[in-house]
Amino acid sequence: MLITVIVACEVLFWVVLLGGLAVRYLLRRPRLGGILLACAPLVDLILLTVSILDLRAGGTATTAHTLAAVYIGVSVAFGHRMVRWADVRFAHRYADGPAPTPKPRDGRARAAYERSAWLRHLLAWGVGTALMLAAVLVIDDPSRTDAFVATAKVWTLILAIDAAVAVSYTVAPKGPRPTTPLSRR
């Protein structure tokens, strides 16, 4: 059941996001569109509530519960950025807004971009792992919370790999790509 709620929350997030953007730009109601966009975090609250209720009812943590914690962490860390990303593209397409700025391809700007993305990943990891560890402490039954501990370990490894990649852009930044016809081979 929890997987269904996670999928429903993901779909609901995008429905709220696109609905808010459509109201803001297509119906030209920016205040109402902004209110709808501000409701996107309520989707996370629904997911968190369902997860807590399931565990309090005696459920054992599964991959679905860990995905809920990861989803909430990612939503907290990247949600505003995703909304802004969609808003810029929607405004450009439907309201003659400026063209979206592409992410930097090389040099110091790319290194700064990668560090910023890693810091967001760190925030997502912090929120998601804190939720998982809080569940471990509250449930206080290792046989019911093994999935949280295992997921936290794997996510920590992924975070470390992401850090190494982000640092590599600072230590050895990519230079501009050559533009001569011979260099394309």
Side-chain angles (χ1 to χ4, degrees):
M1 178 190 114
L2 194 55
I3 291 288
T4 304
V5 173
I6 292 170
V7 171
C9 284
E10 180 67 16
V11 169
L12 185 58
F13 170 81
W14 287 103
V15 166
V16 169
L17 176 66
L18 293 175
L21 293 172
V23 167
R24 176 182 270 183
Y25 294 110
L26 299 178
L27 299 180
R28 306 211 185 281
R29 304 277 312 268
R31 177 176 266 172
L32 180 59
I35 291 170
L36 286 172
L37 291 173
C39 290
L42 295 177
V43 175
D44 295 336
L45 188 60
I46 293 168
L47 182 57
L48 183 61
T49 302
V50 170
S51 295
I52 289 170
L53 291 174
D54 186 50
L55 291 172
R56 286 195 63 187
T60 299
T62 64
T63 302
H65 293 91
T66 64
L67 284 176
V70 169
Y71 175 84
I72 290 168
V74 168
S75 184
V76 167
F78 291 95
H80 182 71
R81 185 182 227 180
M82 286 188 286
V83 169
R84 190 173 59 236
W85 177 89
D87 189 46
V88 166
R89 279 150 183 79
F90 216 87
H92 175 66
R93 175 90 165 110
Y94 297 106
D96 295 324
T101 306
K103 73 178 179 182
R105 293 178 65 163
D106 50 42
R108 289 182 186 178
R110 179 64 185 260
Y113 175 86
E114 293 296 333
R115 286 190 307 269
S116 172
W118 182 80
L119 288 172
R120 288 189 185 280
H121 186 180
L122 178 64
L123 175 61
W125 173 87
V127 170
T129 303
L131 289 171
M132 288 187 274
L133 294 179
V136 168
L137 292 173
V138 168
I139 293 171
D140 196 29
D141 182 357
S143 67
R144 290 178 51 212
T145 58
D146 285 342
F148 286 131
V149 175
T151 299
K153 287 178 182 177
V154 171
W155 198 0
T156 301
L157 176 63
I158 292 168
L159 181 70
I161 292 168
D162 192 23
V165 170
V167 167
S168 75
Y169 280 94
T170 300
V171 173
K174 288 182 175 182
R177 294 184 179 173
T179 58
T180 62
L182 294 176
S183 64
R184 291 185 197 165
R185 292 182 190 180

